[in-house]
Amino acid sequence: MSQAPAPPGSAHRRHDHEIIALAVPAFGALVAEPLFLMVDSAIVGHLGTPQLAGLGIAAALLATAVSVFVFLAYATTAAVARRVGAGDLPAAIRQGMDGIWLALILGIAVIAVTLPTAPWLVDVFGASDTAAPYAITYLRISSLGIPAMLIVLAATGVLRGLQDTRTPLYVAIAGFAANAVLNVGLVYGADLGIAGSAWGTVIAQCGMAAAYLFVVVRGARRHGASLRPDAAGIRASAQAGVPLLVRTLSLRAILMIATAVAARLGDVDVAAHQIILSLWSLTAFALDAIAIAGQAIIGRYLGADDADGARQVCRRMVQWGIASGVVLGALIVLARPLFIPLFTADPTVQDTLLPALLVVALSQPIAGVVFVLDGVLMGAGDGPYLAGAMVLTLAVFAPVALLVPVLGGGLTALWWAMTLMMAVRMLTLWWRARSGRWVVTGATR
């Protein structure tokens, strides 16, 4: 006699438990990451304005370099989760080690490029004569920590694929605390100035990478997985990452175009835009945490040949995305009198900011669906489709955004263009999810 299917309520509770167990720690780890820069800025800011300006330029360059390689986390999560679902933990960890070796290779390549070109890169970003020396110093020293940063990305993907988001949270908290202590000690105690801040961050990042490697290596030894670099595996990891790299670069291009358009609108508009973009990024952390849970859970279901389970959890996560978007949108509207004065006391900026902010609030349910489906398709290893969809979105967004100043639109019109961008992403992702073509089961896609 066949077993009766579990009632819908029971399935929902099971999926909810999985989502919460993975998403909550992931959110904590995501929030801890930008705190590194906040600590550096707070400490370096007391050295002087040129030092802080130099830090800002160097940090922007480093953030761009590292964010380009975020596919190390995404692709590794999906690949490892599939192997976990298939019940092959040694192969899952072996897959993760390939991603870590790729991260090390890419990190060394980035150092080789950054060290000699640091003055040119700083000049391209328009650093002043007083800020440029500090930016070059910080960039050159901090670039030595890029291999560790990329290893952290790849190792985070390994643990997420293994359904573990708690360890990344603990490592992020420890890294944040170490970074704060090291920065104070080296900047002021050792009197190294901005170089001390850079060295503090490098040491903290290397410590985080070491902690991750300890956990992964211990797991590899426990399950008999090889730690040696495998050329075929590294090449496969790189190939899986290329479409996600295209996706990331297209998204970065969208954000850069939006900032460039805001700058053309005037100082007040670009100031208001930066405030909204900061808030938009903060809400993205909450939604991205759900997407990370989606990557891990979907990959595991597909690896276990459970296509129906993957579809069910996809539907449940979309409901989570919509509900989270509604809550975030309401919080933005209700809390605006509290947080707007924290960013600016200029009434002109506040007046410009408010209507655009309401547009952002209205778009949060759309963003919730986008982030969730993005995570689902990443977990399914559907990178080529994600790349094509994001290139299409860029092609739609760019002309609309560039027409905003031409047609006399302001910041609110620009954020309606951003909402259009998110709507296009939602439609392309929804169509793919409905088609079922992403549902490819097995230990590998």
Side-chain angles (χ1 to χ4, degrees):
M1 182 176 179
S2 61
Q3 186 176 2
S10 174
H12 284 173
R13 284 192 297 272
R14 185 178 73 255
H15 295 325
D16 290 346
H17 177 74
E18 288 182 317
I19 294 167
I20 292 171
L22 290 172
V24 172
F27 175 70
L30 288 170
V31 170
E33 291 174 11
L35 293 179
F36 272 79
L37 179 57
M38 289 179 63
V39 168
D40 289 3
S41 300
I43 294 170
V44 171
H46 290 286
L47 295 174
T49 300
Q51 289 91 331
L52 184 59
L55 170 65
I57 292 167
L61 285 164
L62 287 166
T64 299
V66 174
S67 66
V68 163
F69 298 111
V70 73
F71 70 83
L72 289 166
Y74 295 157
T76 305
T77 298
V80 171
R82 275 184 176 270
R83 299 281 190 179
V84 169
D88 192 348
L89 281 177
I93 297 173
R94 173 68 262 175
Q95 188 92 44
M97 285 304 305
D98 292 335
I100 290 173
W101 280 112
L102 176 62
L104 179 61
I105 293 168
L106 291 174
I108 293 171
V110 173
I111 290 178
V113 172
T114 304
L115 286 178
T117 61
W120 177 79
L121 290 170
V122 168
D123 184 62
V124 167
F125 263 61
S128 66
D129 291 339
T130 54
Y134 297 111
I136 294 169
T137 297
Y138 191 93
L139 180 60
R140 278 181 165 159
I141 295 173
S142 293
S143 68
L144 300 177
I146 286 178
M149 296 180 195
L150 299 190
I151 287 172
V152 166
L153 282 177
T156 300
V158 175
L159 295 181
R160 289 173 180 170
L162 293 171
Q163 316 297 297
D164 176 10
T165 56
R166 290 182 178 273
T167 299
L169 172 61
Y170 300 148
V171 174
I173 293 172
F176 167 72
N179 181 62
V181 172
L182 286 166
N183 266 260
V184 172
L186 294 175
V187 171
Y188 297 112
D191 199 25
L192 294 179
I194 195 169
S197 177
W199 280 117
T201 300
V202 169
I203 295 169
Q205 291 286 353
C206 289
M208 291 173 66
Y212 275 116
L213 289 175
F214 173 79
V215 173
V216 174
V217 169
R218 184 180 61 184
R221 288 175 174 169
R222 181 185 304 132
H223 296 286
S226 173
L227 298 173
R228 294 179 180 179
D230 176 66
I234 294 171
R235 187 164 53 250
S237 294
Q239 290 171 348
V242 168
L244 296 180
L245 175 61
V246 172
R247 169 199 169 276
T248 299
L249 291 174
S250 299
L251 180 57
R252 296 292 298 185
I254 287 170
L255 297 177
M256 288 175 65
I257 290 171
T259 300
V261 170
R264 291 180 61 185
L265 296 175
D267 290 347
V268 170
D269 291 87
V270 75
H273 175 74
Q274 288 303 318
I275 293 171
I276 294 175
L277 198 59
S278 298
L279 183 65
W280 193 68
S281 300
L282 181 61
T283 62
F285 284 133
L287 298 175
D288 201 27
I290 304 174
I292 287 168
Q295 294 171 33
I297 296 170
I298 290 294
R300 193 186 78 235
Y301 272 95
L302 294 177
D305 292 324
D306 188 353
D308 288 339
R311 292 189 184 93
Q312 289 174 13
V313 77
C314 174
R315 287 192 291 270
R316 188 57 176 171
M317 294 196 73
V318 168
Q319 294 171 1
W320 268 79
I322 295 171
S324 299
V326 170
V327 171
L328 289 171
L331 286 174
I332 290 172
V333 173
L334 295 174
R336 70 188 189 281
L338 300 176
F339 64 76
I340 290 179
L342 296 177
F343 286 100
T344 179
D346 188 333
T348 308
V349 175
Q350 291 183 359
D351 290 343
T352 304
L353 171 71
L354 188 56
L357 192 64
L358 294 177
V359 174
V360 173
L362 288 172
S363 69
Q364 287 304 297
I366 297 174
V369 175
V370 167
F371 274 83
V372 164
L373 291 180
D374 216 30
V376 166
L377 297 185
M378 282 185 191
D382 206 10
Y385 180 83
L386 289 171
M390 190 61 79
V391 171
L392 173 64
T393 302
L394 173 60
V396 173
F397 171 77
V400 174
L402 294 173
L403 280 173
V404 168
V406 174
L407 299 178
L411 187 66
T412 302
L414 174 60
W415 276 93
W416 276 119
M418 289 287 285
T419 301
L420 171 65
M421 177 270 293
M422 294 299 288
V424 172
R425 288 186 68 189
M426 183 181 72
L427 290 173
T428 57
L429 296 173
W430 176 83
W431 179 85
R432 185 66 167 183
R434 285 294 301 270
S435 73
R437 294 178 185 174
W438 58 277
V439 183
V440 180
T441 59
T444 58
R445 183 177 172 86

